[in-house]
């Protein structure tokens, strides 16, 4: 079955700490990969996306993610988090063709202590 | 451009009733997808419409249906409401259907079934 697994449900970090959120997917075919963020009281918004090409992709607010095809992983990283990064982060997969049928991970709640 | 708008934002219904939710996509976007977000199941794909045709459907019972109009606005209907249908229903729009497209999410409609 197609699925997306996020390794951590809750993460607490101090400001300036480095962040890495794990994401693994199970899908038999070409996929597009996304990380979304939901700040408290706000809409889901796109952080970054991978369609093809360079497996290291950069997104907004200093976030980046690396696609490792052999490991079916798409981990999110940020070298130094800020209090304003407190939010819920979702990894998502859509099939490469055939329309949107997005599968989301369960989400990771990140709390950054000032 | 205005973002994705959803109406109403909050709704309280009684078990057994039916409900219709509305989504207006970003101007020029022809794909509209619907998702259900609950604490237990997370974000789950309901269906996608593109140019008035249902492109994809998730694993939800037939009580959940939708449609898209010629101006790309979409409605989602849930008949014979059950307590478990209480959720945040999110709509997302995109210029294209899948492929290299990215989705923009609305604020959601919070449905409570009593």
């Amino acid at each position: 079955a197609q699925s997306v697994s996020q390794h951590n449900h809750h993460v607490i970090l101090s400001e300036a700490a480095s962040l890495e959120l794990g994401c693994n997917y199970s899908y038999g075919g070409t996929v597009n990969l996304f990380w979304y963020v939901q700040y408290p009281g706000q809409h889901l918004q796109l952080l970054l996306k991978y369609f093809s090409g360079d497996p290291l992709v950069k997104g907004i607010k200093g976030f980046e993610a690396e696609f490792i095809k052999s490991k079916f992983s798409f981990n999110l990283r940020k070298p130094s988090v800020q209090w304003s990064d407190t939010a819920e982060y979702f990894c998502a997969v859509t099939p490469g063709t055939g329309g949107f049928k997005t599968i989301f991970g369960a989400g990771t709640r990140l709390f950054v202590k000032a | 451009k205005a973002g994705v708008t959803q109406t109403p934002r909050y709704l309280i219904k009684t078990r057994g009733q039916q409900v219709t939710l509305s989504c207006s996509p970003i101007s020029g976007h022809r794909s509209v997808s619907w998702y259900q977000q609950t604490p237990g199941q997370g974000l789950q794909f309901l269906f996608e419409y593109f140019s008035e045709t249902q492109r994809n459907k998730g694993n939800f019972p037939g009580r959940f249906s939708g449609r898209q109009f010629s101006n790309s606005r979409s409605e989602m209907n849930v008949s014979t409401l059950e307590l478990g249908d209480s959720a945040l229903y999110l709509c997302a729009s995109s210029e294209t259907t899948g492929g290299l497209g990215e989705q923009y999410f609305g604020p959601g409609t919070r449905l409570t079934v009593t």
Side-chain angles (χ1 to χ4, degrees):
Chain A
Q2 300 153 7
S3 65
V4 176
S5 298
Q6 292 184 235
H7 307 162
N8 310 96
H9 293 296
H10 294 90
V11 173
I12 300 174
L13 294 173
S14 297
E15 274 195 316
S18 63
L19 170 72
E20 180 158 3
L21 301 182
C23 172
N24 285 89
Y25 66 93
S26 171
Y27 193 90
T30 306
V31 295
N32 297 325
L33 298 157
F34 304 83
W35 276 96
Y36 287 90
V37 61
Q38 190 167 34
Y39 297 103
Q42 295 188 26
H43 309 180
L44 262 179
Q45 56 184 280
L46 183 67
L47 260 184
L48 47 76
K49 62 193 177 193
Y50 174 80
F51 292 149
S52 64
D54 187 345
L56 185 62
V57 292
K58 296 192 184 300
I60 60 171
K61 304 187 180 185
F63 286 90
E64 64 178 33
E66 184 175 13
F67 170 51
I68 303 180
K69 190 174 181 179
S70 61
K71 295 184 177 180
F72 297 92
S73 70
F74 190 54
N75 293 352
L76 180 71
R77 299 195 290 248
K78 186 171 184 179
S80 175
V81 294
Q82 301 172 309
W83 176 80
S84 58
D85 293 324
T86 295
E88 189 161 16
Y89 294 81
F90 296 90
C91 180
V93 171
T94 66
T97 58
F100 286 110
K101 193 169 183 177
T102 309
I103 302 168
F104 282 86
T108 298
R109 287 185 185 271
L110 170 66
F111 180 73
V112 180
K113 297 184 291 185
Chain B
K1 278 186 181 177
V4 177
T5 57
Q6 293 186 245
T7 57
R9 292 293 310 280
Y10 302 91
L11 205 49
I12 300 175
K13 288 287 188 178
T14 303
R15 196 169 43 182
Q17 288 185 314
Q18 77 164 14
V19 68
T20 299
L21 311 181
S22 180
C23 171
S24 292
I26 292 171
S27 177
H29 286 194
R30 293 192 294 158
S31 166
V32 173
S33 299
W34 289 89
Y35 297 86
Q36 183 195 64
Q37 186 176 23
T38 60
Q41 299 296 319
L43 276 152
Q44 293 187 284
F45 172 79
L46 280 155
F47 28 66
E48 180 204 2
Y49 285 87
F50 182 78
S51 294
E52 301 179 66
T53 301
Q54 188 178 84
R55 186 79 198 270
N56 281 294
K57 191 176 191 308
N59 298 323
F60 279 81
R63 299 186 297 107
F64 291 82
S65 63
R67 59 178 176 168
Q68 187 180 32
F69 302 95
S70 58
N71 62 357
S72 294
R73 189 177 70 84
S74 176
E75 287 183 347
M76 190 192 94
N77 184 274
V78 188
S79 63
T80 319
L81 283 165
E82 300 177 1
L83 295 178
D85 297 333
S86 294
L88 181 67
Y89 289 89
L90 294 173
C91 165
S93 77
S94 175
E95 287 182 306
T96 64
T97 171
L100 299 181
E102 61 181 80
Q103 295 179 298
Y104 295 82
F105 284 82
T109 293
R110 173 78 60 187
L111 171 66
T112 302
V113 181
T114 62

